[in-house]
Each structure stands twice: as C-alpha cells, then as structure tokens.
Amino acid sequence: MSAERVPISFKDEVPAGEDRLRRVCQTCGFVDYVNPRIVTGVVALQGDRILLCRRAIDPRKGFWTLPAGFLELGESVEQGAVREAQEEAGAELELEGLLAVYSIPRIGQVQIFYRARLLNTPKAGTESLEVMLARWDDIPWKDLAFSSVRWALEHHRASEGQTAFAPFSNPPGTDQLTR
Amino acid sequence: MSAERVPISFKDEVPAGEDRLRRVCQTCGFVDYVNPRIVTGVVALQGDRILLCRRAIDPRKGFWTLPAGFLELGESVEQGAVREAQEEAGAELELEGLLAVYSIPRIGQVQIFYRARLLNTPKAGTESLEVMLARWDDIPWKDLAFSSVRWALEHHRASEGQTAFAPFSNPPGTDQLTR
C-alpha cells in the first residue's frame, strides 16, 4: 500500500512449531518457505536426431541444453515440459513417458525429464540463440550447459528401444483433484 | 532491524522482464516466486504388508496415509522420502526404485513415490496417531487421507513383481554437482 518501500531484510529464525531455520523478513514478518524447485524438460527425437537448444541467457549462455525450465503453478510436470519446449524451440511434442528424476540438492532443484517425439520443425525461441537436431555423434558434448543434460542424453541412449519402462503418473482425468 | 513489523501486503504484479503475474509485497518489494512443491513418499513393504500412518495433523487428521511430506532444501528426493518415513513412522527403509510421479496442479504439488522395503518395527512419530502394517485386503480404503495415497497403493499393486521397471535417477556420486 505505501508507495515508499522499506528494503527487505531476511534473517534466519526457527518459526514457532517448526524444527528448522527459515528466512524471516525482519521488516514485515514474512516467512520465506524455500523448497526445492522443479525443472521439467525433454529428450525429444525426430527420427534418430535429438533436439538441442543453445542458451541465449545466463547461466551458461552460449552452451547447449535440452529444452527445460521451471515448472509453474497450475500445470502438470508433463504440461511444463511441453510448454518449455514450445517456448525455447517452437517445438510441438508428443510425450512418450518419464525418462529420469534427478536431484541436485546443492542448487535446490529436482529435474524431471521425459522422452518425446518432435512433430514439427523447431526454431529458436527468445531464450535460445539457435536450435539443432543432433545425431548422437554430433552432440556437442564439450559444450553442454549442465551435467544433467549429459545424464539425460546418456540415460535416453541407455533406455532406447526399451518398452517395459513403466513409472506411473496420474490416472486419467485426475490432474486437478485436491485429494 | 526494526522491532515493529509492518504487516505484509501482497499484490499481483508482472515484474519487469517477466511474462506472468507474481505476488509482490507492497511493503518491501519482495517478489514471492511460488513454484510447485514436491511431496516425497514411499510405499514400504514388510513381507506382503504395507506401512500406513494415521495422520495426527490437519489436513485430513485421523485418516490413513503413506509416509510422505515436503522435500526440504539440501536433500535429494530419495533422502526426503527416507526422512519422512523416519519422522512419521520411525521406519528404517531400503529404497527400491521410483514408483510414480503425480502432478496435482490445483494445490501446486508434485508427488513422487518410491517403492521400499521396511527393515524394522515402525512406531508412530509426532505427526502420526498410530501406524499399521496392512495386508492388501486390510487397507482402510474408505479412510485414506488423499487420492494420491490410493493411486500409489494401486500402482504399487499393478507393478508388483515387475523387474524391468527402470526410470533413472542421479548417476552415483552426483547429488551435489551444480552442473
């Protein structure tokens, strides 16, 4: 309400009824519950070629990545993966199933990758300098943005052709249930 | 800083450089990035019996659930599942692999369940009224706390005995890497 804003000032405190330190704003009392965030992405294939994007933004600007980004409120993990591929590479996808769940506690992330079929010709979105469809031997291994990109590519390779590959997701029609 | 705290007051605004509304505190300017949170849990078996906990806290106090809770910063999804089972049921577990990833956008949650073996005799923690080891036919289906508990139980049942069940997680020793 006030036009004049007091600078935010966090301090670690254990809130009443809790068992661990949380960041509490000393100006307004806001408890900043910071939980790990979810990155959702895809290994998307067209024939034997894999969709990669060269990052136009930091971190790791100029390096190659798989289409992936932070899951937003109001979408399923699958919807987030499809949205990110659309935003970063103009990609239309058909998801084919869960590939991997990676935990990266040091940066507070859980990364979830799906296998997908790329249905159109991709083009760089605003967060990408360019896109490529790379055959396995053409993947720019030394210029990948993150270790998890390499993991997902290698796990894709290790699981190719496997059909009995069956982690579960929501039963049909239940994305919006509360309990 | 100030001992007097001004009440927090959020308003939806689109921050500069962003494409969607975020909650911005009108007192201090804090941008409250709210992303979906991760619930991590287990279907833990001892012989043919499944570990269930009766909730001592809201929501759904008095109803039965699987050991599960919010993933905290600094832990992997697997570590969080093990911690929650320890806290809620005094359980020592050996995780056996990913069972399911559920999205529940309406409440901003992604729930990740593992299959596990229960290695000790469980006992109710502070968030549980009691624990039970239920044979399939003894599961209190009408008194389950959440739909996702039922899904995980049914998916466990559907996948029992499957060995070619292979979503990936981190390569060994990489939990703490940044890239």
Side-chain angles (χ1 to χ4, degrees), chain B residues 18-97:
Chain B
E18 301 242 357
D19 66 350
R20 67 185 68 207
L21 290 169
R22 307 284 182 188
R23 294 204 313 157
V24 179
C25 176
Q26 303 302 293
T27 302
C28 67
F30 178 77
V31 181
D32 183 26
Y33 287 96
V34 181
N35 291 88
R37 293 201 291 172
I38 299 164
V39 168
T40 177
V42 292
V43 177
L45 268 82
Q46 197 161 73
D48 64 346
R49 304 201 296 170
I50 298 171
L51 175 59
L52 295 174
C53 304
R54 200 152 76 86
R55 293 174 61 85
I57 53 173
D58 280 320
R60 302 290 278 163
K61 182 175 171 176
F63 290 81
W64 290 91
T65 190
L66 292 162
F70 288 112
L71 185 65
E72 294 282 358
L73 283 182
E75 62 188 8
S76 68
V77 190
E78 290 88 346
Q79 288 167 345
V82 167
R83 175 183 53 74
E84 289 290 345
Q86 170 63 45
E87 288 176 5
E88 297 180 1
E92 289 167 33
L93 298 183
E94 185 176 302
L95 293 191
E96 295 187 313

Side-chain angles (χ1 to χ4, degrees), chain A residues 1-10 13 19-20 22-30 32-38 59-60 70-79 83 87 98-110 112 114 145-148 150-151 155-156 158-159 162 164-171 174-179, chain B residues 1-10 13 19-20 22-30 32-38 59-60 70-79 83 87 98-110 112 114 145-148 150-151 155-156 158-159 162 164-171 174-179:
Chain A
M1 309 299 166
S2 77
E4 236 18 79
R5 282 177 179 173
V6 187
I8 195 158
S9 162
F10 279 120
E13 292 178 3
D19 65 350
R20 67 185 69 208
R22 307 285 181 187
R23 294 203 314 157
V24 179
C25 176
Q26 302 301 293
T27 303
C28 67
F30 177 77
D32 182 28
Y33 286 96
V34 181
N35 290 88
R37 293 201 291 173
I38 298 164
R60 303 289 279 166
F70 288 112
L71 185 65
E72 294 282 357
L73 284 181
E75 63 188 7
S76 68
V77 190
E78 290 88 346
Q79 287 167 343
R83 175 184 51 73
E87 289 177 4
L98 182 61
L99 174 64
V101 176
Y102 304 125
S103 295
I104 311 179
R106 207 172 104 76
I107 54 171
Q109 288 186 8
V110 172
I112 302 179
Y114 294 86
F146 309 107
S147 287
S148 56
R150 181 169 47 75
W151 305 343
H155 284 153
H156 156 72
S159 69
Q162 283 191 32
F165 186 87
F168 294 92
S169 61
N170 295 44
T174 58
D175 271 19
Q176 300 299 325
L177 287 184
T178 47
R179 58 171 59 111
Chain B
M1 308 277 173
S2 76
E4 269 319 291
R5 284 178 178 172
V6 187
I8 197 158
S9 162
F10 278 120
E13 293 178 3
D19 66 350
R20 67 185 68 207
R22 307 284 182 188
R23 294 204 313 157
V24 179
C25 176
Q26 303 302 293
T27 302
C28 67
F30 178 77
D32 183 26
Y33 287 96
V34 181
N35 291 88
R37 293 201 291 172
I38 299 164
R60 302 290 278 163
F70 288 112
L71 185 65
E72 294 282 358
L73 283 182
E75 62 188 8
S76 68
V77 190
E78 290 88 346
Q79 288 167 345
R83 175 183 53 74
E87 288 176 5
L98 182 62
L99 174 67
V101 176
Y102 304 125
S103 295
I104 310 177
R106 208 172 103 75
I107 53 170
Q109 289 185 8
V110 172
I112 302 179
Y114 294 86
F146 309 107
S147 287
S148 55
R150 180 169 47 75
W151 305 343
H155 284 153
H156 156 72
S159 69
Q162 282 190 35
F165 186 87
F168 294 92
S169 61
N170 294 45
T174 59
D175 271 18
Q176 299 299 325
L177 287 183
T178 46
R179 58 169 59 110

Side-chain angles (χ1 to χ4, degrees), chain A residues 53-65 68-70 84 87-88 125-130 145-146, chain B residues 17 179:
Chain A
C53 304
R54 199 151 77 85
R55 291 174 63 84
I57 54 172
D58 281 319
R60 303 289 279 166
K61 182 174 171 177
F63 289 81
W64 291 91
T65 191
F70 288 112
E84 289 289 344
E87 289 177 4
E88 297 180 1
T126 55
E127 296 183 3
S128 305
L129 296 170
E130 56 180 318
F146 309 107
Chain B
R179 58 169 59 110

